[in-house]
Amino acid sequence: MTAPTLQLPQRPRRPWAVVGWLVITAAAVLAFWSVDIAWERLADLPAEIVRYFGLMFAAPNWEKLPEALWQTWRSVEMAWVGTILGILLATPLSLLAARGFGPAWLRALLRGLFSLIRAVPEIIIAIVILSVTGLTPFTGALALAINGIGTLGKWGYEAVEAVPPGPIEAARAAGGSTAQVLRWGVWPQAEPVFWSFWLYRFEINVRSSAVLGLIGVGGIGDMLTSYTQYREWSTVGVLLIVVVIVTMLIDGASGAIRRRIMEGSRARVLR
């Protein structure tokens, strides 16, 4: 008796995937082709970088250090206020956008709003609202808060939907209202994730506040723009040193707190 021949399945054809990759490749080639780039100057780039690093860091102007620290503190304040406002606005909206806690039409509306906000950079939002609030740090804080609604809202409803359903079903079986289910069935499990997201958003806002200073809303970015325009590179070097150190310290502290929240304290070995 002859053994049956095995017929391998045909490789699936995906013409639309091929067309998509061709379109992406063509767009990338056209983008490089249409941009007016002096490619011959790329060879001079390393030497120019070394030259400007020497201008900025060979002899920094430490007399500007107190002012740099003060303006950096204003940027941190801007980031902190923007984070708090974003949390207060985004958290209840994210709960309503979660599946099972809000009507379908409201979920679709809120998720579309979160996507729309995420598509607009903070600096564009600040330019739009500065006609009302003026060139003040509060303008930057509002821009960070509005932009934070998009990210915190999305992270929030995803965290709620990832909660195990057991406590939620128990709260509903006990006759709890939607608010009570969120309070006792969702929040105890989702709280560490929310705290982690809030701290991470604060880290993002600290870096973004320096960028918002480019349009004149105050902080270290405003000072950095002014001294760069006047080509006072020794002062620019001091500003960059302050920005890098402060940002790294905040990121390190926030990261340690986030790890403590998510992982808990480590057990000590008793000897």
Side-chain angles (χ1 to χ4, degrees):
M1 183 177 181
T2 60
T5 58
L6 297 177
Q7 185 176 2
L8 297 177
Q10 295 183 355
R11 186 177 180 179
R13 297 180 179 180
R14 294 179 294 180
W16 289 111
V18 176
V19 172
W21 280 111
L22 290 175
V23 171
I24 293 173
T25 303
V29 172
L30 289 175
F32 276 98
W33 188 268
S34 60
V35 174
D36 187 13
I37 299 177
W39 298 102
E40 63 278 3
R41 297 190 60 185
L42 290 178
D44 301 331
L45 185 59
E48 290 295 312
I49 292 176
V50 172
R51 184 171 73 89
Y52 278 102
F53 266 67
L55 292 174
M56 289 187 292
F57 303 117
N61 183 11
W62 296 110
E63 295 180 357
K64 297 294 183 179
L65 181 60
E67 184 180 0
L69 293 174
W70 168 244
Q71 294 298 335
T72 302
W73 174 248
R74 295 188 68 185
S75 294
V76 174
E77 286 181 325
M78 188 191 310
W80 179 254
V81 173
T83 303
I84 296 300
L85 292 177
I87 291 171
L88 295 177
L89 295 172
T91 301
L93 296 179
S94 66
L95 297 177
L96 293 175
R99 190 177 296 108
F101 296 99
W105 65 269
L106 183 58
R107 293 201 308 269
L109 179 64
L110 290 175
R111 295 188 182 196
L113 177 63
F114 297 155
S115 299
L116 177 63
I117 293 175
R118 289 198 308 274
V120 183
E122 296 97 337
I123 193 168
I124 302 299
I125 299 175
I127 292 173
V128 172
I129 65 178
L130 65 82
S131 59
V132 179
T133 57
L135 291 174
T136 64
F138 185 61
T139 301
L142 283 179
L144 294 174
I146 294 173
N147 189 264
I149 293 174
T151 54
L152 292 175
K154 183 177 187 298
W155 293 341
Y157 74 73
E158 289 180 348
V160 171
E161 292 178 352
V163 167
I168 299 176
E169 295 174 356
R172 285 176 174 164
S177 62
T178 301
Q180 291 172 331
V181 171
L182 288 171
R183 172 64 184 87
W184 302 108
V186 174
W187 185 249
Q189 304 176 86
E191 182 181 5
V193 181
F194 271 84
W195 276 103
S196 179
F197 288 157
W198 295 343
L199 289 169
Y200 183 56
R201 183 62 204 184
F202 175 61
E203 296 177 25
I204 296 174
N205 285 349
V206 170
R207 291 187 287 270
S208 299
S209 63
V211 178
L212 289 177
L214 299 177
I215 63 173
V217 298
I220 192 64
D222 193 3
M223 189 177 178
L224 186 61
T225 302
S226 300
Y227 284 101
T228 301
Q229 290 176 346
Y230 289 106
R231 299 185 178 276
E232 297 188 20
W233 301 115
S234 59
T235 302
V236 173
V238 173
L239 300 180
L240 291 178
I241 291 172
V242 172
V243 169
V244 170
I245 292 177
V246 171
T247 303
M248 291 179 62
L249 290 175
I250 292 176
D251 286 354
S254 177
I257 296 173
R258 284 191 288 114
R259 286 191 299 271
R260 179 64 180 268
I261 292 174
M262 298 301 296
E263 300 175 5
S265 59
R266 296 181 180 179
R268 296 183 178 180
V269 178
L270 299 177
R271 296 181 179 179

